[in-house]
Amino acid sequence: MSKAEGRKKMSKETRRTLVAYSFIAPNFIGFAVFTLIPVVFAFILAFTQWDGSNPIQWVGLGNFIKLFQDTFFLSALKNTIIYCIGTVPLTMIASLALAIVLNQKVRCRGLFRTISFFPYVASLVAVTAVWKMLFSKTGPVNAILYYVFHVPNNELPQWFVGGLVMVSYILFSVWKYMGYYMVIYLAGLQGISGEMYEAASLDGANTWQKFRSITWPQLRPTTFFVVVMLTINCFKVFDIATLLAGGDNNTLTPSSTVLVHYIYQQAFVNWEFGYSSAVAMVLFVLVLIVTIIQFRGEARFSNS
Amino acid sequence: MKKRFLSLMMACTMVVSLAACGGNSTTASTTAAPTTAAKATEAATTAANKDTQAAAEDITLKWAIWDQDTTPYWVALKDSYEATHDNVTIELVDLGSTDYMTVLATQLSGSTSAFDVVTVKDVPGYATLVQKNTIESLDEYIKKDNIDLSLYGGATDQITVNGSLYELPFRNDFWVLFYNKDLFDAKGLAYPTNDMTFAEYDALARQVASTDFGSQVYGAHYHTWRSAVQLFGVLDGKNNILSGNYDFFKPYYEMVLNQEADGICRKYTDLKTESLHYSAAFAGGDVAMMNMGSWYISTLISKLQSGEYAAADCGNWGMAKYPHAEGVEPGSTLGTITGIAITTGTQYKDAAWDFVSFVSGTEGAKVMAETGNFPAIMTDEAMEIISGLEGFPADEQSKEALKVSNLYLEVPYHESVSEVNSILDTYHAAIMSGEKTIDEGIAAMNEEIGKILK
Amino acid sequence: MKSAKKKAIVGKICVYIILILISLLMIIPFLWMLSASIKTDKEVFQIPFVWIPENPRWDNYIRIWTKMPFLKYIGNTALLTVVVTFLQLLTSSFAAYSFAKLEFKHKNALFLAYIATIAMPWQVYMVPQFIMMSNVFHLNGKLMAMVCLQAFSAFGVFMMRQFYMGIPDELCEAARIDGMSEYKIYTNIMLPLSKPALSTLTIFTFVATWNDYLGPLIYLTPNKSNWTIQLGIKNTFIGQYSSEYGLLMAASVVSLIPVLIVFLALQKYFVEGIANTGIKG
């Protein structure tokens, strides 16, 4: 009897693992074949020289040595980091605030929700054209600066060249993706039980206290997701840069270039997959660091 | 454990397939014998044709092109070739124009037999295809058929790779100066001539311009491409875009930036922000002169005919030759060629060559001219056909402007032409947007390109 | 009491004003698209900008149907989107349950592998992936290629995992003690609770697949009969030397309608979370 029980226990352990794997398998097999293998391959490419057709040549760390002497790469790296530092917190705050407001009983909230999703789904040509119109030299933003803040005519800023181009990217990105992350937060907010708020109200908590002690901690997993996705997407910024500053042959100057644009250039203009993979590795390491920090924070939170 | 084994297996298949493919193109180019992997894919793609067509000589050539619906010459070339070649069918595969070279090079990375004949859109794209061993050297065919390369007016010299040619041009666009006659008439000025120095051109642009608010006239218009400004410098025949020293750009940047500062032409930064297309700029009726490629002729004619462009704004237009540097004969200009090539993976090399020589030869040239485009072989006949098109300016001078004495490609072939091209683009943008001064920008070009050419 | 009420009303008015301002800012691109869709190419980028052109070209909306096989492209895109969205929802919510609520070996490593692939820009591994897809699986030019690439994305697994993390473990534990199998817990407890997350994922996957351009560009371009809307729009209306932005916008407006319908239909599920299902954590 006890022997059989022991066997049963053993098989229970294995069965648990098997069950867990069976849940993952349908997705993982497709994921591994179609995405993971090419990605692993791209990792290896970073140490090679390859144009997509000719035999692959091993170059060891050659690409990385070249990388840190490449002034264009360094400015792309710097710009991308600045962009991320500006965009991640701003988008997170804006989308969370919007989600909280649109989670209240507000009239026409379905309509408001749909509208705030527009910049994300609308045609990129339209979105860019509108944004460029708003910030053009004679556009409404500069008009406000001129009439309200009395900035003299010849000092009105140029939003898409030189120093201000990063500011344009950041504002554009917040505006475009706010609705997207709002949707994620909205779904996250549904997971919070109303009873918790009722209990807090009975204890006399005000809105801010309720946010601090209920909403924010309960949204932890959602925030983790939002921050990681935001960071990754910010590091991968490409469209925004080429559309706002690229012109019709996608040319970015040292002050407006970003990492993925450089990766694209190396891969599809120069056909140097080795070097473009090396650039991607730098991006990858940056994202990984941010993610692991977040991951640790999340683990600590769920353990406590 | 099983899982790990499985994924290892998959990784192996992948690496093997990549290696096979990588090796494939090199062997194909040297021995012209496709490996089994390539054969398998070829068999898959052509099996259908073989089954349906009983006669063994029946051949279908897959030809990579773009904009089939809006560009008439693809079908015209196909039809006139098929009319004289019963056993050959040309299958047009439209890859779109926006990302044509990217899509084509990617397709050919997957399999060099994805197409039999490919159109090559620009020189950097040509360099990519050559270096990836995806297109065939044409030397032997050219020798065998005694093709006279002098007909191409020197263009083929600029795309020769280590003594070999991998494409033949069939379309050739060159830059001219478009002008709006009404604006010159309004000021009582003479029209631009076919023999202007840059100083005369600059003076004329300033005379015809009017900076009065409300009735503003721009003397000149420069599109955002680097070709529109910096390539004025290569027209004297002494300077070369691949020389690694770009100090000769300076006077032309100065001329254009001074015009910008004085309100003679639109600002580069405004053009970029407003996404103003050169076509719309000239059609607006407030641009007196614009340097642009000859492709704009057919756009202008057709949009005026359809009524989209108002005849009152730009209906009275003409053309003149590009301005020239002091002491140089007029008639030198920039050119953009479109070429046609044979893939290394095709199993119908001889048939493909026959088609390539048709398209790039005199017969193809006639078809091109009849559809209103400039063929690479510019015969008098072709010239007559184009200048006889309805809507083409009637004056002799505009006809004369089509005669080119020296054609310089926007970039000639070099193994690093893509890198050189993008560096020139980058610092052109930096100079024009004011991010760098002219001297700083040129110094950066010299340094970065110097590193590559070294 | 009265002043508190007044305060609440003032607060509400402020909220509405802010909401309306934000909405205005957000809706401009759509209005711009509508305006551009009844213009000629020249008028689209004309300065000064006019919202309603002198001669509105309503026939742009008719011409797009004859300029390209629009219905066919919509059909292709719809088929692709439905299949991808369905597979994505099914497989990723399944996998996410395991990642969030079960214990097994290499869990963290596997999960990091998922996130790692999100961090890799597609441009880097696009060509190796393409070579594999066309030489090993012979899927070049087929809609199936897009299904394979998009249905098993790491994004869906990551998102669903995060939502399941928010559902209290006690719910599952209680069910396990009652003798429910993991599959039952997933279907009877987790799925009903994850309506908001599932509808979010549906929206995102739907939009991403519907609006995707780069994927179809690489895989479907050579096969015109399999083109998607985005590919068709761009290749038809933007040429080498000419463009038709008016028609492009008309086509974009039409292609946006299904996206908006899906969003409007699903957004109401955001409010049907735990609070409304009666099961409270």
Side-chain angles (χ1 to χ4, degrees):
Chain A
M1 209 46 192
S2 68
K3 230 181 178 180
E5 232 170 34
R7 205 190 299 146
K8 213 175 173 186
K9 211 175 178 185
M10 273 262 294
S11 67
K12 209 175 177 184
E13 182 70 37
T14 333
R15 238 179 61 197
R16 254 181 74 179
T17 313
L18 276 180
V19 166
Y21 280 138
S22 75
F23 271 99
I24 296 179
N27 190 281
F28 186 78
I29 291 172
F31 164 75
V33 173
F34 299 115
T35 310
L36 196 57
I37 291 176
V39 167
V40 170
F41 188 76
F43 268 90
I44 301 167
L45 278 184
F47 304 96
T48 67
Q49 196 172 18
W50 189 48
D51 65 357
S53 291
N54 288 310
I56 300 171
Q57 279 169 27
W58 193 257
V59 294
L61 290 174
N63 287 329
F64 293 95
I65 294 165
K66 190 172 150 201
L67 207 56
F68 288 95
Q69 294 160 348
D70 183 340
T71 49
F72 206 70
F73 162 75
L74 293 174
S75 35
L77 181 65
K78 190 187 91 192
N79 292 340
T80 310
I81 292 174
I82 293 174
Y83 170 78
C84 284
I85 293 173
T87 311
V88 176
L90 274 180
T91 313
M92 200 197 91
I93 294 166
S95 55
L96 178 58
L98 199 62
I100 289 175
V101 172
L102 291 181
N103 199 37
Q104 314 287 322
K105 291 211 161 52
V106 184
R107 234 175 262 269
C108 312
R109 64 178 171 185
L111 186 71
F112 281 129
R113 282 172 183 175
T114 315
I115 288 175
S116 50
F117 203 53
F118 267 146
Y120 177 68
V121 291
S123 143
L124 272 174
V125 179
V127 176
T128 323
V130 166
W131 192 256
K132 283 185 167 178
M133 237 163 60
L134 292 177
F135 284 83
S136 76
K137 216 176 73 187
T138 50
V141 172
N142 274 3
I144 291 172
L145 289 178
Y146 181 74
Y147 290 112
V148 181
F149 297 97
H150 302 289
V151 177
N153 205 358
N154 54 356
E155 283 173 30
L156 282 176
Q158 296 255 21
W159 290 93
F160 301 103
V161 287
L164 277 176
V165 72
M166 281 297 138
V167 179
S168 301
Y169 288 0
I170 293 169
L171 291 176
F172 181 78
S173 163
V174 172
W175 174 66
K176 183 162 158 50
Y177 291 105
M178 198 162 116
Y180 180 86
Y181 292 101
M182 173 207 75
V183 170
I184 300 177
Y185 266 127
L186 266 180
L189 283 171
Q190 308 317 314
I192 305 173
S193 132
E195 277 179 358
M196 291 175 102
Y197 290 109
E198 281 159 32
S201 298
L202 287 178
D203 291 346
N206 64 24
T207 317
W208 174 244
Q209 282 165 333
K210 276 192 239 170
F211 174 79
R212 275 291 304 275
S213 60
I214 303 171
T215 318
W216 183 244
Q218 290 287 318
L219 279 179
R220 224 22 212 265
T222 315
T223 306
F224 171 67
F225 177 69
V226 168
V227 172
V228 170
M229 284 314 295
L230 251 174
T231 315
I232 291 177
N233 286 336
C234 283
F235 273 110
K236 280 162 69 175
V237 58
F238 175 59
D239 282 359
I240 292 178
T242 51
L243 286 167
L244 287 185
D248 59 2
N249 51 4
N250 284 348
T251 305
L252 295 177
T253 59
S255 74
S256 60
T257 185
V258 288
L259 276 181
V260 175
H261 181 260
Y262 197 52
I263 288 173
Y264 172 82
Q265 282 271 326
Q266 293 301 333
F268 290 105
V269 179
N270 302 344
W271 290 83
E272 289 192 13
F273 287 106
Y275 196 55
S276 87
S277 282
V279 180
M281 290 291 277
V282 174
L283 186 145
F284 179 79
V285 169
L286 287 173
V287 173
L288 202 68
I289 292 170
V290 178
T291 311
I292 287 176
I293 293 171
Q294 288 286 323
F295 206 53
R296 286 257 166 87
E298 193 204 25
R300 213 175 38 236
F301 166 76
S302 56
N303 286 343
S304 66
Chain B
M1 201 50 208
K2 234 179 188 171
K3 186 151 285 163
R4 192 175 293 168
F5 176 67
L6 196 71
S7 59
L8 210 72
M9 277 267 294
M10 279 160 178
C12 287
T13 30
M14 159 115 191
V15 171
V16 168
S17 77
L18 285 169
C21 172
N24 173 7
S25 43
T26 39
T27 48
S29 67
T30 49
T31 64
T35 63
T36 42
K39 240 181 204 156
T41 47
E42 268 164 26
T45 52
T46 53
N49 302 332
K50 278 189 181 152
D51 286 342
T52 50
Q53 291 165 348
E57 318 98 43
D58 279 357
I59 289 172
T60 301
L61 292 177
K62 271 177 105 176
W63 183 22
I65 56 149
W66 60 84
D67 293 352
Q68 187 182 338
D69 297 331
T70 48
T71 314
Y73 55 76
W74 306 119
V75 176
L77 287 167
K78 166 190 154 83
D79 287 348
S80 68
Y81 184 77
E82 283 174 353
T84 50
H85 298 76
D86 282 340
N87 63 328
V88 183
T89 312
I90 306 293
E91 184 190 340
L92 300 175
V93 184
D94 188 344
L95 301 184
S97 64
T98 328
D99 300 289
Y100 176 80
M101 286 315 298
T102 307
V103 175
L104 178 65
T106 310
Q107 290 291 333
L108 292 176
S109 305
S111 156
T112 47
S113 60
F115 301 99
D116 301 296
V117 179
V118 295
T119 319
V120 184
K121 203 174 177 185
D122 48 30
V123 177
Y126 170 68
T128 302
L129 294 183
V130 171
Q131 284 155 20
K132 282 164 73 70
N133 278 319
T134 48
I135 51 176
E136 191 78 12
S137 162
L138 302 177
D139 294 345
E140 276 176 35
Y141 299 107
I142 291 172
K143 210 154 81 200
K144 191 184 77 192
D145 287 3
N146 285 321
I147 304 285
D148 182 7
L149 293 178
S150 68
L151 291 173
Y152 296 100
T156 49
D157 297 340
Q158 298 175 63
I159 49 169
T160 302
V161 183
N162 300 328
S164 299
L165 261 186
Y166 290 79
E167 69 167 350
L168 278 176
F170 70 97
R171 174 172 178 174
N172 174 17
D173 285 294
F174 52 91
W175 289 58
V176 291
L177 193 66
F178 290 86
Y179 62 89
N180 189 330
K181 293 178 180 169
D182 288 344
L183 295 177
F184 286 90
D185 293 341
K187 282 239 172 170
L189 289 166
Y191 299 149
T193 67
N194 283 335
D195 183 4
M196 278 192 300
T197 63
F198 277 105
E200 286 164 351
Y201 161 77
D202 185 35
L204 189 62
R206 286 168 181 278
Q207 277 172 340
V208 73
S210 153
T211 47
D212 305 333
F213 190 78
S215 61
Q216 186 142 22
V217 170
Y218 298 101
H221 183 85
Y222 306 95
H223 191 56
T224 52
W225 300 326
R226 72 177 175 89
S227 313
V229 179
Q230 57 176 226
L231 291 188
F232 284 141
V234 301
L235 298 179
D236 59 6
K238 289 174 221 146
N239 295 305
N240 184 338
I241 202 72
L242 294 173
S243 66
N245 185 331
Y246 301 96
D247 296 342
F248 62 90
F249 287 165
K250 194 175 177 184
Y252 303 98
Y253 274 118
E254 277 172 345
M255 176 181 87
V256 172
L257 288 177
N258 284 337
Q259 287 185 359
E260 262 196 16
D262 299 339
I264 307 299
C265 63
R266 280 198 174 86
K267 281 203 161 62
Y268 173 90
T269 48
D270 292 348
L271 293 181
K272 252 189 149 173
T273 323
E274 292 162 6
S275 315
L276 186 66
H277 195 253
Y278 57 83
S279 169
F282 190 75
D286 55 359
V287 168
M289 294 187 281
M290 178 173 84
N291 54 330
M292 191 36 70
S294 51
W295 58 79
Y296 187 50
I297 298 173
S298 56
T299 311
L300 203 50
I301 291 177
S302 70
K303 294 226 171 181
L304 277 165
Q305 272 165 0
S306 75
E308 190 178 338
Y309 292 168
D313 287 336
C314 62
N316 198 7
W317 59 284
M319 280 182 296
K321 285 183 183 174
Y322 240 48
H324 58 87
E326 203 75 54
V328 179
E329 210 195 322
S332 294
T333 189
L334 304 171
T336 312
I337 53 168
T338 313
I340 181 164
I342 303 173
T343 58
T344 46
T346 176
Q347 50 175 335
Y348 307 117
K349 289 217 166 92
D350 292 330
W353 162 251
D354 193 56
F355 181 62
V356 165
S357 63
F358 171 86
V359 171
S360 60
T362 44
E363 290 158 293
K366 195 164 167 252
V367 177
M368 292 300 288
E370 279 162 356
T371 53
N373 294 283
F374 290 87
I377 298 180
M378 202 55 190
T379 56
D380 288 339
E381 188 194 1
M383 191 93 81
E384 279 305 313
I385 296 174
I386 292 173
S387 55
L389 289 174
E390 200 190 325
F392 194 89
D395 57 309
E396 271 311 307
Q397 191 188 284
S398 293
K399 247 179 241 178
E400 186 65 27
L402 300 181
K403 288 198 178 131
V404 176
S405 57
N406 281 309
L407 191 77
Y408 299 97
L409 293 191
E410 291 178 55
V411 264
Y413 175 83
H414 181 275
E415 58 174 7
S416 304
V417 63
S418 304
E419 282 101 323
V420 171
N421 196 39
S422 46
I423 293 169
L424 290 174
D425 275 341
T426 303
Y427 292 102
H428 170 71
I431 293 173
M432 294 303 290
S433 61
E435 199 178 305
K436 286 198 181 320
T437 65
I438 299 174
D439 288 331
E440 285 167 357
I442 290 176
M445 288 177 195
N446 290 345
E447 194 201 321
E448 304 260 321
I449 295 176
K451 262 193 256 171
I452 291 173
L453 296 179
K454 196 168 54 187
Chain C
M1 197 62 202
K2 221 178 179 183
S3 73
K5 217 174 178 182
K6 228 180 205 167
K7 234 182 177 173
I9 290 173
V10 171
K12 240 190 178 152
I13 291 174
C14 284
V15 167
Y16 276 109
I17 290 176
I18 292 171
L19 271 182
I20 289 168
L21 281 179
I22 290 178
S23 301
L24 274 179
L25 206 62
M26 298 281 186
I27 207 168
I28 300 178
F30 187 63
L31 298 179
W32 190 91
M33 283 172 78
L34 286 177
S35 149
S37 71
I38 49 168
K39 288 178 175 174
T40 62
D41 183 57
K42 192 182 129 200
E43 286 165 335
V44 172
F45 292 107
Q46 206 168 40
I47 307 267
F49 183 79
V50 272
W51 283 102
I52 299 166
E54 255 175 65
N55 297 311
R57 300 264 218 139
W58 296 106
D59 67 330
N60 278 359
Y61 281 94
I62 298 162
R63 284 172 62 207
I64 53 173
W65 299 90
T66 51
K67 273 258 182 175
M68 61 175 178
F70 202 32
L71 212 57
K72 170 133 192 71
Y73 296 160
I74 289 185
N76 288 340
T77 319
L79 179 72
L80 194 66
T81 309
V82 169
V83 173
V84 166
T85 310
F86 175 75
L87 282 176
Q88 167 87 279
L89 282 178
L90 194 76
T91 64
S92 53
S93 67
F94 218 53
Y97 174 70
S98 189
F99 277 121
K101 296 294 174 206
L102 299 176
E103 285 305 320
F104 58 93
K105 259 191 188 167
H106 308 308
K107 184 163 122 172
N108 284 348
L110 270 181
F111 185 62
L112 266 180
Y114 269 95
I115 297 190
T117 62
I118 310 181
M120 205 64 157
W122 194 43
Q123 287 85 347
V124 178
Y125 62 90
M126 201 157 94
V127 167
Q129 195 181 39
F130 176 80
I131 293 173
M132 178 185 83
M133 293 295 278
S134 63
N135 288 352
V136 181
F137 300 102
H138 301 293
L139 288 175
N140 187 17
K142 300 194 178 114
L143 285 174
M144 193 60 194
M146 297 315 301
V147 172
C148 291
L149 292 192
Q150 294 177 326
F152 309 104
S153 84
F155 174 82
V157 177
F158 185 20
M159 198 185 102
M160 292 309 293
R161 172 194 182 261
Q162 294 313 110
F163 280 103
Y164 288 150
M165 297 285 277
I167 294 174
D169 286 344
E170 293 81 13
L171 270 178
C172 305
E173 287 303 329
R176 275 181 206 129
I177 291 166
D178 287 350
M180 253 193 204
S181 76
E182 296 296 340
Y183 303 103
K184 267 240 163 87
I185 299 177
Y186 164 78
T187 41
N188 293 359
I189 299 179
M190 286 314 220
L191 271 190
L193 282 182
S194 48
K195 257 193 206 161
L198 286 175
S199 40
T200 309
L201 186 58
T202 311
I203 290 172
F204 286 172
T205 313
F206 191 93
V207 173
T209 316
W210 191 269
N211 281 348
D212 188 20
Y213 171 70
L214 209 54
L217 174 75
I218 297 296
Y219 285 91
L220 304 178
T221 305
N223 190 353
K224 211 169 183 171
S225 61
N226 277 347
W227 278 10
T228 60
I229 296 186
Q230 298 304 328
L231 202 55
I233 289 180
K234 197 146 180 195
N235 282 350
T236 312
F237 299 124
I238 299 192
Q240 190 182 10
Y241 297 124
S242 62
S243 52
E244 301 248 30
Y245 276 101
L247 289 171
L248 187 139
M249 281 304 147
S252 301
V253 169
V254 174
S255 80
L256 199 56
I257 293 170
V259 174
L260 295 182
I261 290 174
V262 168
F263 190 89
L264 273 171
L266 290 177
Q267 61 85 24
K268 68 169 188 277
Y269 290 108
F270 296 155
V271 290
E272 280 185 24
I274 293 182
N276 290 14
T277 46
I279 312 165
K280 287 175 185 174

